Amino acid sequence: MTDTATALRQSVFVSAGDLSAELAGSRPPVLLDLRFRTDDHDRRHSYLAGHIPGAVYVDLQRELAGDPGGFRGYRPLPRIEDLQSAARGWGLNDDSDVVVYDDDTGLQAGRAWWVLRWGGMKSVRMLDGGYDAWLRDGLPVTQEIPAPAPGNVTLTEGNLPQFGAGRAPWYVRNGVLLDSRGPDNYRGGPTAPDAPRRGHIPGATHAPTFENLDAEGMLRPAGELQARFEALGATGNQPIGVYCGGGVSAAHQIAVLASLGIPAALFPGSWSAWQSDPLRPVARGAQPWGGSEGEQE
């Protein structure tokens, strides 16, 4: 990679070895531990079993999202005053260097990266490969719970681009709309009358976030990622919107794009917000518009 490409990547992702060295330095970063699953929101029990020394546990559903419901989706953005209060409790100051990680190769930590950057934090990075990468390198873990001094960070909303459901078709017409979910969710299919609808936003290009990672959950080389996004039409020469199920894995995809110098906007409510309105169309199948391999309703 060129020096510029390396600097871009290192501004978003940090390796386990480099993080270990920084933690031993005179000004260690603030470490935030994100552990979350759609079927197991509060994973404090996993954090308590072992985490990187000094890491503060963050509850994604309660601290990095607002109240769900209506057309807002499962995980709308938190109120900025609530986010600021939580961030101060984590020990964040305006000049803090923050590193976030999870135990799922970073796919959940991407939400923290995006929300904190949206709130105005300047230096936020993700641990490449997450907690598993730390363990593979034989680095120390602990069960001790840190007690950070309260921080004084001041956050302001709107420092990263976002959009709502009404804007999603605009990205299809004027740029590219990337769907970050896995194949089954993208293709969708019949649903029970009272169940959430399945499928994708008509015209959205399928771009699973996990394809940015190798078999060990590490970020793929920059050249491979650049080629992948070029093939998807996401070159940075046109507007890019990204969504997933509830604004988590899409945030990780935006971080990967940022590591290549490609800006993109997040649909925080994502599919959960889109499908909640029965008047919005749904495409099914492997193609952006449905068609021969799918259908629309």
Side-chain angles (χ1 to χ4, degrees), residues 1 28 31 50 74 111 115 135 138 152 169 199 217 225 245:
M1 289 192 295
L31 266 182
Y74 298 151
R111 173 76 175 205
V115 169
L135 295 176
N152 59 14
L225 293 170

PDB file of all heavy atoms in Angstrom, residues 1 28 31 50 74 111 115 135 138 152 169 199 217 225 245:
ATOM      1  N   MET A   1       0.840  -1.195   0.000  1.00  0.00           N
ATOM      2  CA  MET A   1       0.000   0.000   0.000  1.00  0.00           C
ATOM      3  C   MET A   1       0.877   1.247   0.000  1.00  0.00           C
ATOM      4  O   MET A   1       1.992   1.242   0.535  1.00  0.00           O
ATOM      5  CB  MET A   1      -0.910   0.025   1.236  1.00  0.00           C
ATOM      6  CG  MET A   1      -2.027  -0.992   1.237  1.00  0.00           C
ATOM      7  SD  MET A   1      -3.256  -0.658   2.537  1.00  0.00           S
ATOM      8  CE  MET A   1      -2.273  -0.923   4.013  1.00  0.00           C
ATOM      9  N   PRO A  28      -2.449   5.884  26.758  1.00  0.00           N
ATOM     10  CA  PRO A  28      -3.219   4.762  26.176  1.00  0.00           C
ATOM     11  C   PRO A  28      -4.596   5.214  25.719  1.00  0.00           C
ATOM     12  O   PRO A  28      -5.187   6.139  26.291  1.00  0.00           O
ATOM     13  CB  PRO A  28      -3.324   3.769  27.332  1.00  0.00           C
ATOM     14  CG  PRO A  28      -3.191   4.603  28.554  1.00  0.00           C
ATOM     15  CD  PRO A  28      -2.248   5.715  28.207  1.00  0.00           C
ATOM     16  N   LEU A  31     -10.564   2.195  25.854  1.00  0.00           N
ATOM     17  CA  LEU A  31     -11.027   0.957  25.233  1.00  0.00           C
ATOM     18  C   LEU A  31     -12.497   0.723  25.567  1.00  0.00           C
ATOM     19  O   LEU A  31     -12.885   0.746  26.741  1.00  0.00           O
ATOM     20  CB  LEU A  31     -10.221  -0.231  25.768  1.00  0.00           C
ATOM     21  CG  LEU A  31      -8.995  -0.708  25.005  1.00  0.00           C
ATOM     22  CD1 LEU A  31      -8.406  -1.913  25.723  1.00  0.00           C
ATOM     23  CD2 LEU A  31      -9.337  -1.062  23.572  1.00  0.00           C
ATOM     24  N   GLY A  50     -14.066 -12.387  30.521  1.00  0.00           N
ATOM     25  CA  GLY A  50     -12.727 -12.039  30.050  1.00  0.00           C
ATOM     26  C   GLY A  50     -12.778 -10.946  29.003  1.00  0.00           C
ATOM     27  O   GLY A  50     -13.606 -10.987  28.089  1.00  0.00           O
ATOM     28  N   TYR A  74     -35.483  -0.843  14.616  1.00  0.00           N
ATOM     29  CA  TYR A  74     -35.059  -1.513  15.843  1.00  0.00           C
ATOM     30  C   TYR A  74     -34.034  -0.711  16.647  1.00  0.00           C
ATOM     31  O   TYR A  74     -34.018  -0.769  17.867  1.00  0.00           O
ATOM     32  CB  TYR A  74     -34.453  -2.877  15.521  1.00  0.00           C
ATOM     33  CG  TYR A  74     -35.392  -3.862  14.866  1.00  0.00           C
ATOM     34  CD1 TYR A  74     -34.905  -4.841  14.005  1.00  0.00           C
ATOM     35  CD2 TYR A  74     -36.761  -3.828  15.107  1.00  0.00           C
ATOM     36  CE1 TYR A  74     -35.751  -5.751  13.400  1.00  0.00           C
ATOM     37  CE2 TYR A  74     -37.625  -4.726  14.507  1.00  0.00           C
ATOM     38  CZ  TYR A  74     -37.110  -5.687  13.647  1.00  0.00           C
ATOM     39  OH  TYR A  74     -37.946  -6.573  13.036  1.00  0.00           O
ATOM     40  N   ARG A 111     -20.809  -0.187  14.927  1.00  0.00           N
ATOM     41  CA  ARG A 111     -21.867   0.719  15.371  1.00  0.00           C
ATOM     42  C   ARG A 111     -21.296   1.781  16.306  1.00  0.00           C
ATOM     43  O   ARG A 111     -21.638   2.965  16.191  1.00  0.00           O
ATOM     44  CB  ARG A 111     -22.973  -0.071  16.065  1.00  0.00           C
ATOM     45  CG  ARG A 111     -24.063   0.779  16.718  1.00  0.00           C
ATOM     46  CD  ARG A 111     -25.025   1.361  15.717  1.00  0.00           C
ATOM     47  NE  ARG A 111     -26.107   2.074  16.386  1.00  0.00           N
ATOM     48  CZ  ARG A 111     -27.315   2.283  15.868  1.00  0.00           C
ATOM     49  NH1 ARG A 111     -27.598   1.830  14.662  1.00  0.00           N
ATOM     50  NH2 ARG A 111     -28.238   2.934  16.535  1.00  0.00           N
ATOM     51  N   VAL A 115     -21.358   5.770  15.531  1.00  0.00           N
ATOM     52  CA  VAL A 115     -22.123   6.661  16.397  1.00  0.00           C
ATOM     53  C   VAL A 115     -21.215   7.688  17.074  1.00  0.00           C
ATOM     54  O   VAL A 115     -21.563   8.873  17.176  1.00  0.00           O
ATOM     55  CB  VAL A 115     -22.919   5.851  17.437  1.00  0.00           C
ATOM     56  CG1 VAL A 115     -23.513   6.767  18.511  1.00  0.00           C
ATOM     57  CG2 VAL A 115     -24.036   5.073  16.760  1.00  0.00           C
ATOM     58  N   LEU A 135      -6.866 -12.548  21.190  1.00  0.00           N
ATOM     59  CA  LEU A 135      -6.577 -13.856  21.780  1.00  0.00           C
ATOM     60  C   LEU A 135      -5.585 -14.646  20.927  1.00  0.00           C
ATOM     61  O   LEU A 135      -4.688 -15.315  21.474  1.00  0.00           O
ATOM     62  CB  LEU A 135      -7.869 -14.653  21.944  1.00  0.00           C
ATOM     63  CG  LEU A 135      -8.910 -14.086  22.925  1.00  0.00           C
ATOM     64  CD1 LEU A 135     -10.167 -14.942  22.902  1.00  0.00           C
ATOM     65  CD2 LEU A 135      -8.335 -14.002  24.336  1.00  0.00           C
ATOM     66  N   GLY A 138      -2.085 -14.052  21.635  1.00  0.00           N
ATOM     67  CA  GLY A 138      -1.626 -14.417  22.967  1.00  0.00           C
ATOM     68  C   GLY A 138      -1.517 -13.250  23.922  1.00  0.00           C
ATOM     69  O   GLY A 138      -0.742 -13.292  24.883  1.00  0.00           O
ATOM     70  N   ASN A 152     -15.314  14.506  30.216  1.00  0.00           N
ATOM     71  CA  ASN A 152     -15.976  15.798  30.012  1.00  0.00           C
ATOM     72  C   ASN A 152     -16.290  16.065  28.544  1.00  0.00           C
ATOM     73  O   ASN A 152     -16.440  17.206  28.126  1.00  0.00           O
ATOM     74  CB  ASN A 152     -15.116  16.929  30.580  1.00  0.00           C
ATOM     75  CG  ASN A 152     -13.734  16.992  29.925  1.00  0.00           C
ATOM     76  OD1 ASN A 152     -13.504  16.376  28.875  1.00  0.00           O
ATOM     77  ND2 ASN A 152     -12.815  17.720  30.534  1.00  0.00           N
ATOM     78  N   PRO A 169     -34.585   5.687  -1.964  1.00  0.00           N
ATOM     79  CA  PRO A 169     -34.700   5.573  -3.423  1.00  0.00           C
ATOM     80  C   PRO A 169     -33.827   6.577  -4.168  1.00  0.00           C
ATOM     81  O   PRO A 169     -33.425   6.313  -5.313  1.00  0.00           O
ATOM     82  CB  PRO A 169     -36.188   5.829  -3.677  1.00  0.00           C
ATOM     83  CG  PRO A 169     -36.859   5.453  -2.390  1.00  0.00           C
ATOM     84  CD  PRO A 169     -35.896   5.882  -1.333  1.00  0.00           C
ATOM     85  N   GLY A 199     -37.039  -9.268   2.609  1.00  0.00           N
ATOM     86  CA  GLY A 199     -36.630  -8.876   1.268  1.00  0.00           C
ATOM     87  C   GLY A 199     -35.679  -7.704   1.345  1.00  0.00           C
ATOM     88  O   GLY A 199     -34.954  -7.551   2.334  1.00  0.00           O
ATOM     89  N   GLY A 217     -11.716 -13.447  10.032  1.00  0.00           N
ATOM     90  CA  GLY A 217     -12.395 -12.245  10.474  1.00  0.00           C
ATOM     91  C   GLY A 217     -11.539 -11.001  10.418  1.00  0.00           C
ATOM     92  O   GLY A 217     -11.921  -9.965  10.986  1.00  0.00           O
ATOM     93  N   LEU A 225     -10.289  -5.036  -1.349  1.00  0.00           N
ATOM     94  CA  LEU A 225     -11.484  -4.280  -0.984  1.00  0.00           C
ATOM     95  C   LEU A 225     -11.820  -3.237  -2.044  1.00  0.00           C
ATOM     96  O   LEU A 225     -12.983  -3.046  -2.402  1.00  0.00           O
ATOM     97  CB  LEU A 225     -11.282  -3.609   0.375  1.00  0.00           C
ATOM     98  CG  LEU A 225     -11.169  -4.555   1.571  1.00  0.00           C
ATOM     99  CD1 LEU A 225     -10.717  -3.799   2.811  1.00  0.00           C
ATOM    100  CD2 LEU A 225     -12.509  -5.255   1.834  1.00  0.00           C
ATOM    101  N   GLY A 245     -29.898  -4.607   8.657  1.00  0.00           N
ATOM    102  CA  GLY A 245     -31.147  -4.914   9.328  1.00  0.00           C
ATOM    103  C   GLY A 245     -31.564  -3.839  10.304  1.00  0.00           C
ATOM    104  O   GLY A 245     -32.716  -3.440  10.361  1.00  0.00           O
TER     105      GLY A 245
END
